[in-house]
Amino acid sequence: RSERPFSTLPRHVPGPPRPKPNATMSAEKYEEVNAYFRQRMEESRKTWATRGKDARIAAAEARKAGPQTWRQLTGVPLMAHEIKHVGNRPFAWGFATVALATVYISASFSDEAKANSDYWSTFHGTGDKKH
């Protein structure tokens, strides 16, 4: 037997007795309390069922089977989604303007202009500098 020098309490202190259906509360109140605890136990079982590796895999598959959110979008669908937002419209107009200007300038850059360009002849042409 081990001695417990700082404690004067016995090892097991019994708690208060559990109420019986008609001892301290009405039958309706007793059923209400039991229904509450049954509901909480059901919620706990649902929570327990969502834990573990198998449950995580099942949840990931369920998310993939459902509709796509913006987080799963990539490329052009994501850009189209972002352009739909009112706050992104000024950016979208600016982006479109720069993109169209770039396409126009590159399309109108003739062979003569390329031959006279120091940059183009140095990095894309023959490599001879025109100084």
Side-chain angles (χ1 to χ4, degrees):
R1 170 181 146 142
S2 67
E3 293 293 324
R4 294 177 14 188
F6 299 108
S7 176
T8 57
L9 295 174
R11 287 183 184 252
H12 174 69
V13 178
R18 292 188 170 183
K20 293 180 180 156
N22 294 321
T24 57
M25 66 176 85
S26 66
E28 295 85 23
K29 183 69 174 173
Y30 181 78
E31 286 304 317
E32 178 185 344
V33 170
N34 276 341
Y36 170 76
F37 283 121
R38 280 193 291 275
Q39 176 190 0
R40 292 286 302 179
M41 182 56 77
E42 191 60 37
E43 290 172 4
S44 295
R45 286 189 178 123
K46 286 179 185 175
T47 302
W48 296 335
T50 62
R51 294 181 179 160
K53 184 178 180 181
D54 295 334
R56 286 194 302 274
I57 292 170
E61 293 298 323
R63 277 194 302 276
K64 285 181 187 175
Q68 273 194 335
T69 67
W70 67 270
R71 292 174 186 258
Q72 282 97 30
L73 295 176
T74 57
V76 175
L78 178 61
M79 286 179 58
H81 173 79
E82 288 297 329
I83 288 171
K84 290 177 188 175
H85 289 286
V86 174
N88 293 339
R89 293 231 174 102
F91 169 78
W93 280 106
F95 186 81
T97 303
V98 170
L100 290 174
T102 303
V103 169
Y104 174 74
I105 291 169
S106 64
S108 65
F109 199 52
S110 67
D111 291 334
E112 183 182 330
K114 289 177 186 177
N116 292 334
S117 168
D118 288 338
Y119 171 82
W120 190 270
S121 62
T122 303
F123 296 106
H124 301 286
T126 60
D128 296 334
K129 292 188 178 183
K130 304 264 183 183
H131 289 293

